């Protein structure tokens, strides 16, 4: 049989098959084949899917816990930094320890998570504020007045102390009482660290049902001499609440343990400390009343190579009562000495039960929808595809920069809505781009105008940081002080107090007026130029503050008034000389009036007629 006759014998029966059937059969075959292959692969790869899903879930949970810990544990160090900034800005000092009372009271209002915050100077004087979770605020004082006893005062709504709440006697000798805290472990650790650090011990609060972690930071003067210690305590019960708020699968748990294996926080209702003989103490996670926490901690304790040498997050599988568990262990460390482990535990059954159930549902639904999809799919595919294809083409045109696009509405209701939304979006996008271009042009013009004013102003314009260096200056400012450019002046002047002000009293007057009024007007003082010469300047400035009232920077205008000052001095000199000349002329006039008077003439005549020899004889 020839090839031609063979093709004819095959094409003849195929030609009798309807086109609809020819289109449906391949479609049905594809669906059946796809469902079978997907079902088989789903069965074979279910465990891999569970592993990936579990790992992804635990990665997300661990990341949220890590982020929360980073943000939350930064709070006490921020409080200590705020206290150090108050000293560096000159608002407070370690010598006048009583001035800290109101400041610390206001500070704890901003950070309700803080349990207490303390300032201790090298002379044994202490000021602190203790805030309970219910909002009660007590002031702590230890100094000569309290005989170095721990004295707690109640406070009113303004932070003023009212009555004594509690006095804890210090039974040491007089000298030892003054320096009691130098023997405390937290003081020694804070000083030895030479920087911001954590105390190694986490302790339960004596008043509230929570653990406390303490941040310390020593304070040194410019000569490197110790001036005291900043200390802030943070509650850890918020960490437990955060863990309980997480959705960790169906029965998953999360907990945190320290480098001693003690329980720090958990997503269960278990409190991370116990009371024995009236004393609260932390306990090891291997002693937990929760079986998952206890078994997981025991597994880690028996695998010290995992727990002690963990440098990055690790996924681990183990069993509890013969049931497989997924464990993600995350080391949490910072540069201040913290060394914790975050554990997220999820039973495999939380994932497999859903997979088994979903597999059965999938098979049933695939069989049920196979016929319907076969019948309906062919008829609606083209109807749906056509407007969607047009939308795709229009979207590609917009992506290429052709914003003026509009698609004709047709097809299903949802497709029509989509087309209508796309057309509306395209119109809005076109309008938005036009508006954005106009706004950009306006901003560009405004920026150029501001830059022109700043650079071409005849007066010096500046911004200066509270620590004594310039943030920005204009060209006129640099010329007033004989610098070649603003950049040179900013780079050279690192201490305005010593490099610009001739008289320290003028700088003190500036700060005093700033504190009282928030600005200075027509403030004149003598200033050094780059070459060491002295000029007179007149300054108008104001303090720019943040929402908390802290000074961000000073900004203002500077004018060189040296010529006017010299003119004033010259006028004063001329006035003085004129006054002397006037007094001299006035005296000559008085002498002339006397000598020309008749009385003087008569006396002069008598003297001339008087014979001197007769007088003596």
């Amino acid at each position: 049989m020839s090839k031609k006759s063979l093709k004819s014998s095959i094409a003849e029966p195929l030609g009798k098959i309807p086109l609809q059937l020819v289109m449906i059969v391949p479609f049905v075959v594809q669906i059946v084949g796809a469902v079978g292959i997907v079902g088989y692969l789903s069965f074979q790869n279910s465990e891999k899917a569970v592993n990936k899903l579990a790992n992804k879930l635990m990665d997300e949970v661990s990341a949220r816990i890590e982020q929360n810990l980073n943000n939350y544990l930064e709070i006490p160090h921020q409080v200590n930094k705020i206290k150090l900034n108050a000293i560096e800005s000159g608002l407070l000092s370690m010598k006048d320890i009583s001035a800290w009372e109101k400041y610390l009271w206001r500070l704890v209002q901003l950070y309700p998570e803080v349990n207490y915050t303390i300032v201790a100077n090298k002379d044994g004087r202490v000021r602190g504020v203790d805030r309970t979770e219910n909002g009660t605020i007590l002031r702590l004082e230890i100094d000569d007045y309290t005989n170095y006893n721990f004295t707690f005062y109640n406070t009113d709504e303004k932070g003023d102390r009212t009555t004594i709440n509690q006095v804890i006697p210090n039974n040491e000798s007089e000298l030892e009482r003054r320096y009691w805290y130098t023997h405390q472990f937290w003081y020694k650790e804070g000083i030895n660290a030479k920087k911001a650090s954590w105390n190694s011990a986490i302790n339960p609060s004596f008043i509230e049902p929570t653990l406390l972690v303490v941040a310390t930071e020593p304070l040194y003067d410019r000569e490197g001499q110790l001036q005291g210690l900043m200390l802030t305590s943070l509650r850890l019960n918020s960490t437990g609440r955060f863990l309980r708020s997480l959705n960790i699968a169906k029965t998953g748990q999360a907990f945190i343990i320290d480098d001693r294996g003690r329980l720090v926080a958990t997503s269960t209702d278990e409190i991370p400390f116990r009371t024995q003989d009236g004393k609260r103490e932390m306990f090891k996670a291997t002693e937990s009343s929760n079986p998952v926490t206890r078994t997981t901690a025991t597994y880690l304790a028996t695998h010290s190579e995992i727990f002690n040498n963990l440098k990055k997050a690790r996924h681990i599988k183990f069993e509890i009562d013969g049931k497989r568990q997924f464990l993600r262990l995350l080391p949490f460390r910072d540069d201040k000495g913290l060394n914790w482990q975050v554990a997220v535990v999820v039973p495999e059954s939380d994932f497999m039960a859903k997979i088994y159930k979903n597999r059965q549902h999938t098979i049933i639904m695939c069989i049920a929808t196979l016929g319907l999809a076969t019948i309906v799919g062919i008829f609606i595919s083209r109807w749906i595809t056509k407007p969607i294809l047009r939308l795709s083409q229009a979207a590609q045109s917009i992506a290429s920069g052709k914003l003026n696009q509009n698609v004709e509405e047709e097809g299903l209701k949802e497709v029509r809505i989509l087309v209508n939304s796309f057309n509306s979006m395209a119109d809005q996008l076109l309008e938005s781009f036009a508006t954005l271009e106009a706004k950009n042009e306006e901003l560009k013009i405004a920026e150029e105008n501001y830059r022109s004013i700043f650079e071409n102003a005849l007066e010096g314009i500046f911004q200066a940081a509270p620590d004594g260096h310039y943030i920005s200056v204009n060209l006129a400012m640099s010329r007033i002080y004989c610098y070649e450019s603003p950049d040179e002046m900013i780079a050279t002047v690192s201490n305005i107090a010593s490099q610009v002000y001739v008289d320290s009293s003028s700088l003190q007057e500036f700060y005093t007026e700033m504190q009282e009024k928030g600005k200075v007007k027509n403030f004149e003082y003598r200033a050094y130029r780059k070459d060491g010469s002295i000029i007179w300047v007149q300054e108008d400035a104001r303090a720019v503050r943040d929402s908390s009232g802290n000074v961000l920077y000073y900004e203002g205008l500077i004018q060189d008034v040296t010529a006017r000052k010299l003119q004033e001095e010259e006028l004063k000199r001329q006035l003085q000389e004129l006054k002397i000349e006037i007094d001299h002329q006035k005296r000559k006039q008085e002498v002339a009036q006397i000598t020309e008077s008749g009385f003087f003439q008569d006396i002069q005549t008598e003297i001339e007629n008087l014979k001197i020899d007769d007088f003596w004889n």
Side-chain angles (χ1 to χ4, degrees), residues 198-307:
W198 296 101
N199 277 336
S200 60
I202 304 174
N203 295 308
S205 171
F206 293 105
I207 301 174
E208 303 175 40
T210 181
L211 297 179
L212 301 177
V213 62
V214 180
T216 61
E217 185 160 355
L219 174 65
Y220 298 90
D221 59 17
R222 294 181 178 179
E223 288 74 28
Q225 298 297 319
L226 178 67
Q227 298 300 304
L229 186 70
M230 303 296 178
L231 183 145
T232 300
S233 171
L234 182 71
R235 300 183 183 89
L236 290 179
N237 54 353
S238 294
T239 302
R241 287 195 295 267
F242 174 78
L243 294 181
R244 288 189 289 274
S245 69
L246 297 174
N247 183 17
I248 311 175
K250 185 178 180 180
T251 60
Q253 297 181 17
F255 60 90
I256 302 172
I257 53 181
D258 64 8
D259 54 354
R260 303 182 192 178
R262 300 179 301 177
L263 189 63
V264 175
T266 175
S267 61
T268 66
D269 295 331
E270 185 176 19
I271 300 176
F273 60 84
R274 293 169 182 166
T275 304
Q276 295 181 353
D277 300 328
K279 183 178 180 181
R280 293 177 175 177
E281 294 182 350
M282 295 179 66
F283 58 88
K284 289 185 177 295
T286 53
E287 303 170 358
S288 171
S289 60
N290 183 274
V292 174
T293 303
R294 182 177 61 253
T295 306
T296 304
T298 302
Y299 174 83
L300 294 176
T302 56
H303 293 76
S304 57
E305 72 280 0
I306 297 177
F307 185 79

Side-chain angles (χ1 to χ4, degrees), residues 30-175:
Q30 291 178 23
I31 292 179
V32 173
V35 170
I37 293 173
V38 170
Y40 176 77
L41 294 177
S42 175
F43 181 79
Q44 294 294 325
N45 297 323
S46 60
E47 185 175 356
K48 293 182 179 179
V50 168
N51 290 339
K52 291 181 180 179
L53 181 60
N55 291 342
K56 182 177 180 181
L57 173 65
M58 292 190 293
D59 287 345
E60 292 176 354
V61 172
S62 298
R64 291 184 60 186
I65 295 174
E66 184 177 24
Q67 182 181 16
N68 177 266
L69 288 176
N70 282 325
N71 295 336
Y72 190 69
L73 294 175
E74 187 61 27
I75 291 175
H77 293 289
Q78 289 178 351
V79 173
N80 286 340
K81 288 296 183 185
I82 290 173
K83 292 185 286 186
L84 290 176
N85 289 339
I87 295 176
E88 293 175 357
S89 61
L91 296 177
L92 297 167
S93 70
M94 296 301 286
K95 294 182 179 179
D96 185 12
I97 198 71
S98 61
W100 285 90
E101 297 173 356
K102 284 287 190 67
Y103 186 83
L104 296 178
W105 184 87
R106 295 188 184 97
L107 192 58
V108 298
Q109 309 292 321
L110 302 176
Y111 297 93
E113 303 88 350
V114 169
N115 176 250
Y116 61 83
T117 183
I118 289 175
V119 175
N121 70 10
K122 64 179 182 178
D123 297 324
R125 294 175 174 83
V126 177
R127 287 296 184 272
V129 174
D130 192 340
R131 173 175 178 155
T132 62
E133 230 178 358
N134 62 9
T136 302
I137 300 179
L138 303 176
R139 280 175 34 183
L140 168 65
E141 296 185 12
I142 303 173
D143 55 16
D144 300 11
Y145 180 76
T146 64
N147 198 22
Y148 292 94
N149 292 320
F150 298 76
T151 306
F152 293 88
Y153 294 91
N154 295 313
T155 60
D156 58 18
E157 66 278 0
K158 296 182 180 179
D160 296 321
R161 63 185 184 186
T162 54
T163 59
I164 294 178
N165 179 277
Q166 184 181 11
V167 176
I168 302 176
N170 192 342
N171 297 321
E172 306 293 337
S173 65
E174 180 178 356
L175 180 61

Side-chain angles (χ1 to χ4, degrees), residues 516-533:
E516 294 176 355
K517 302 178 181 179
K519 63 180 181 179
V520 296
K521 186 71 175 178
N522 298 328
F523 181 71
E524 296 181 354
Y525 59 91
R526 295 192 302 162
Y528 290 116
R529 303 174 93 178
K530 176 184 177 182
D531 57 5
S533 60

Side-chain angles (χ1 to χ4, degrees), residues 77 92 126 158 165 272 355 369 375 387 488 529 546 573 599:
H77 293 289
L92 297 167
V126 177
K158 296 182 180 179
N165 179 277
I355 288 178
T369 58
I375 297 172
E488 183 191 7
R529 303 174 93 178
D546 60 15
R573 187 189 63 77
F599 178 74

Side-chain angles (χ1 to χ4, degrees), residues 534-551:
I534 298 176
I535 60 173
W536 280 90
V537 296
Q538 177 178 296
E539 179 176 338
D540 296 333
R542 72 185 186 97
V544 180
R545 303 177 183 270
D546 60 15
S547 58
S548 301
N550 300 316
V551 177

